[in-house]
Amino acid sequence: MHGYQLRSAFEESTGGTWPLNIGQVYTTLSRLERDGLVRPLGEGDGGQRPYEITDAGHKDLAAWFTTPVSRTDRPRDELAIKLALALTTPGVDVRAVVQTQRTATMRTLQEYTRLKARADRPADLSWLLVLDAMLFQAEAEVRWLDHCEASLVRHQPPAPAPAPATDHRAEVAR
């Protein structure tokens, strides 16, 4: 396949959830070619140059499929960061932040559920699996937000430190 075909195949498999920049596809193909994992074929119709996977590429791909995804290198979680900072920023209503996010996540869950109901062809299995992953992640987020809200109810913020006592004798001596 050439770059545009690869992009289309990826986006079809994932239901367009993660659109690919075509420049990224061709940059990746160049890197794969450099590393001996793909090789370009002769120029095809329309001036497109298709690529094929090499034996080394097949081995690398097989290793990728058989290696578990590591969860230790977590991507940055903007929601967790937002709540952590909301807790330490004076004047922020953390409960309102949680409620606003819960409302948005519930809307997302409803949309994912509607999408799932419409994607019923067996050929849509790859898209359905991606959609299920997004549904489960959104459900987990709602559960985590419930946990955050319960933690806020139980949380007793530390009492403010008392102001230092003023030594009036020192002021009089001045």
Side-chain angles (χ1 to χ4, degrees), residues 98-117:
V98 169
Q99 194 57 42
T100 298
Q101 185 63 43
R102 176 185 285 107
T103 300
T105 304
M106 291 302 292
R107 278 193 207 111
T108 300
L109 272 171
Q110 291 167 350
E111 179 59 26
Y112 290 163
T113 302
R114 279 191 289 277
L115 286 171
K116 190 172 179 175

Side-chain angles (χ1 to χ4, degrees), residues 118-130:
R118 283 185 256 156
D120 59 353
R121 298 186 332 254
D124 288 342
L125 182 58
S126 59
W127 164 231
L128 287 171
L129 292 175
V130 169

